[in-house]
Amino acid sequence: QVQLVESGGGLVQPGGSLRLSCATSGSTFGLNAMGWYRQAPKKQRDMVARITHVGTTLYADSVKGRFTISRDNAKNTVYLQMNSLKPEDTAVYYCYATFAGTANTYWGQGTQVTVSS
């Protein structure tokens, strides 16, 4: 059994910053790529950022230069530092984790990020 627990969402003004965290627990052997998706109201869930076990990263064009993904393998935790936030970044952010040798993807419960003045 694998659990992902996110934290760090909230309300922030445009131009502000937030840091999301996602801790993985349970059967974490083989933990591989981790990352973040987001879903705004009435829109599909879109990839935000991804990081492999060795630190290779991938970002959506809309967040490049503003968001930074990182991970602590000792803690099985992935982070998303979000700077220069815009109203269009408002969404529920979901973290996910994949495991080597399996096709399974595990998801967190989601954390709301609202960017508004």
CSV table of all heavy atoms in Angstrom, one decimal, residues 7-9 15 17-18 26 32 36 48 50-51 58 67 77 80-81 96-97 114:
chain,number,residue,atom,x,y,z
A,7,SER,N,0.9,18.8,1.1
A,7,SER,CA,0.7,20.0,2.0
A,7,SER,C,1.3,21.2,1.3
A,7,SER,O,2.0,21.1,0.4
A,7,SER,CB,1.3,19.7,3.3
A,7,SER,OG,2.7,19.5,3.2
A,8,GLY,N,0.9,22.4,1.9
A,8,GLY,CA,1.5,23.6,1.4
A,8,GLY,C,0.6,24.5,0.5
A,8,GLY,O,1.0,25.6,0.2
A,9,GLY,N,-0.6,24.1,0.2
A,9,GLY,CA,-1.4,24.9,-0.6
A,9,GLY,C,-2.0,26.0,0.2
A,9,GLY,O,-1.8,26.1,1.4
A,15,GLY,N,2.0,37.2,-8.0
A,15,GLY,CA,3.4,37.6,-7.7
A,15,GLY,C,4.0,36.9,-6.5
A,15,GLY,O,5.3,36.9,-6.3
A,17,SER,N,4.6,33.5,-3.7
A,17,SER,CA,5.2,32.2,-3.7
A,17,SER,C,4.5,31.2,-2.8
A,17,SER,O,4.0,31.7,-1.8
A,17,SER,CB,6.7,32.3,-3.4
A,17,SER,OG,7.4,33.1,-4.3
A,18,LEU,N,4.6,30.0,-3.2
A,18,LEU,CA,4.1,28.9,-2.3
A,18,LEU,C,5.0,27.7,-2.5
A,18,LEU,O,5.6,27.6,-3.6
A,18,LEU,CB,2.7,28.5,-2.6
A,18,LEU,CG,1.5,29.3,-2.1
A,18,LEU,CD1,0.2,28.7,-2.6
A,18,LEU,CD2,1.5,29.3,-0.6
A,26,GLY,N,4.5,4.0,3.1
A,26,GLY,CA,4.0,2.7,2.8
A,26,GLY,C,5.1,1.9,2.1
A,26,GLY,O,6.3,2.0,2.4
A,32,ASN,N,10.1,5.6,-8.2
A,32,ASN,CA,10.8,6.1,-9.4
A,32,ASN,C,10.4,7.6,-9.7
A,32,ASN,O,10.7,8.4,-8.8
A,32,ASN,CB,10.4,5.2,-10.6
A,32,ASN,CG,11.4,5.4,-11.8
A,32,ASN,OD1,12.3,6.2,-11.7
A,32,ASN,ND2,11.2,4.6,-12.8
A,36,TRP,N,4.0,16.5,-10.4
A,36,TRP,CA,2.8,17.2,-10.0
A,36,TRP,C,1.9,17.5,-11.3
A,36,TRP,O,2.4,17.8,-12.4
A,36,TRP,CB,3.1,18.6,-9.4
A,36,TRP,CG,3.9,18.5,-8.2
A,36,TRP,CD1,5.2,18.4,-8.0
A,36,TRP,CD2,3.3,18.5,-6.8
A,36,TRP,NE1,5.5,18.4,-6.7
A,36,TRP,CE2,4.4,18.4,-5.9
A,36,TRP,CE3,2.0,18.6,-6.3
A,36,TRP,CZ2,4.2,18.4,-4.5
A,36,TRP,CZ3,1.8,18.6,-5.0
A,36,TRP,CH2,2.9,18.5,-4.1
A,48,VAL,N,2.4,19.5,-14.6
A,48,VAL,CA,3.1,20.7,-14.2
A,48,VAL,C,4.6,20.5,-14.3
A,48,VAL,O,5.3,21.2,-14.9
A,48,VAL,CB,2.6,21.1,-12.8
A,48,VAL,CG1,3.4,22.3,-12.4
A,48,VAL,CG2,1.1,21.4,-12.8
A,50,ARG,N,7.8,17.2,-13.4
A,50,ARG,CA,8.2,15.8,-13.2
A,50,ARG,C,9.6,15.7,-12.9
A,50,ARG,O,10.5,16.5,-13.4
A,50,ARG,CB,7.8,15.0,-14.4
A,50,ARG,CG,8.2,13.5,-14.4
A,50,ARG,CD,7.8,12.9,-15.7
A,50,ARG,NE,8.0,11.4,-15.7
A,50,ARG,CZ,9.1,10.8,-16.1
A,50,ARG,NH1,10.1,11.6,-16.6
A,50,ARG,NH2,9.2,9.5,-16.1
A,51,ILE,N,10.0,14.8,-12.0
A,51,ILE,CA,11.4,14.6,-11.6
A,51,ILE,C,11.7,13.1,-11.5
A,51,ILE,O,10.9,12.4,-10.8
A,51,ILE,CB,11.8,15.3,-10.4
A,51,ILE,CG1,13.3,15.2,-10.1
A,51,ILE,CG2,11.0,14.9,-9.2
A,51,ILE,CD1,13.8,16.2,-9.0
A,58,LEU,N,11.4,17.8,-15.8
A,58,LEU,CA,10.6,18.2,-17.0
A,58,LEU,C,9.5,19.2,-16.5
A,58,LEU,O,8.9,18.9,-15.5
A,58,LEU,CB,9.9,17.0,-17.7
A,58,LEU,CG,9.1,17.2,-18.9
A,58,LEU,CD1,9.9,17.7,-20.1
A,58,LEU,CD2,8.3,16.0,-19.2
A,67,PHE,N,8.5,27.8,-11.6
A,67,PHE,CA,8.4,26.7,-10.7
A,67,PHE,C,9.6,25.9,-10.7
A,67,PHE,O,10.3,25.7,-11.8
A,67,PHE,CB,7.2,25.8,-11.1
A,67,PHE,CG,5.8,26.4,-11.0
A,67,PHE,CD1,5.6,27.8,-10.7
A,67,PHE,CD2,4.7,25.6,-11.1
A,67,PHE,CE1,4.4,28.3,-10.5
A,67,PHE,CE2,3.4,26.2,-10.9
A,67,PHE,CZ,3.3,27.5,-10.7
A,77,THR,N,10.1,12.3,-0.6
A,77,THR,CA,9.3,13.5,-0.7
A,77,THR,C,9.6,14.3,-1.9
A,77,THR,O,10.8,14.4,-2.2
A,77,THR,CB,9.4,14.3,0.6
A,77,THR,OG1,9.0,13.5,1.7
A,77,THR,CG2,8.6,15.6,0.5
A,80,LEU,N,7.4,21.3,-4.7
A,80,LEU,CA,7.2,22.2,-5.9
A,80,LEU,C,7.3,23.6,-5.4
A,80,LEU,O,6.4,24.0,-4.6
A,80,LEU,CB,5.9,21.9,-6.5
A,80,LEU,CG,5.6,22.7,-7.8
A,80,LEU,CD1,6.6,22.2,-8.9
A,80,LEU,CD2,4.2,22.5,-8.3
A,81,GLN,N,8.4,24.3,-5.7
A,81,GLN,CA,8.5,25.7,-5.3
A,81,GLN,C,7.9,26.5,-6.4
A,81,GLN,O,8.3,26.4,-7.6
A,81,GLN,CB,10.0,26.1,-5.1
A,81,GLN,CG,10.2,27.5,-4.8
A,81,GLN,CD,9.7,27.9,-3.5
A,81,GLN,OE1,9.8,27.2,-2.5
A,81,GLN,NE2,9.0,29.1,-3.4
A,96,TYR,N,2.0,12.8,-7.7
A,96,TYR,CA,1.9,11.4,-8.1
A,96,TYR,C,3.3,10.7,-8.0
A,96,TYR,O,4.3,11.4,-7.9
A,96,TYR,CB,1.4,11.2,-9.6
A,96,TYR,CG,2.4,11.6,-10.6
A,96,TYR,CD1,3.3,10.7,-11.2
A,96,TYR,CD2,2.5,13.0,-11.1
A,96,TYR,CE1,4.2,11.1,-12.1
A,96,TYR,CE2,3.4,13.3,-12.0
A,96,TYR,CZ,4.3,12.4,-12.6
A,96,TYR,OH,5.2,12.7,-13.5
A,97,ALA,N,3.3,9.4,-7.9
A,97,ALA,CA,4.5,8.6,-7.8
A,97,ALA,C,4.4,7.4,-8.7
A,97,ALA,O,3.3,6.8,-8.7
A,97,ALA,CB,4.8,8.3,-6.4
A,114,THR,N,-4.8,28.9,-4.7
A,114,THR,CA,-5.6,30.0,-5.2
A,114,THR,C,-4.8,31.2,-5.3
A,114,THR,O,-4.2,31.7,-4.2
A,114,THR,CB,-6.8,30.2,-4.3
A,114,THR,OG1,-7.6,29.1,-4.3
A,114,THR,CG2,-7.7,31.4,-4.9
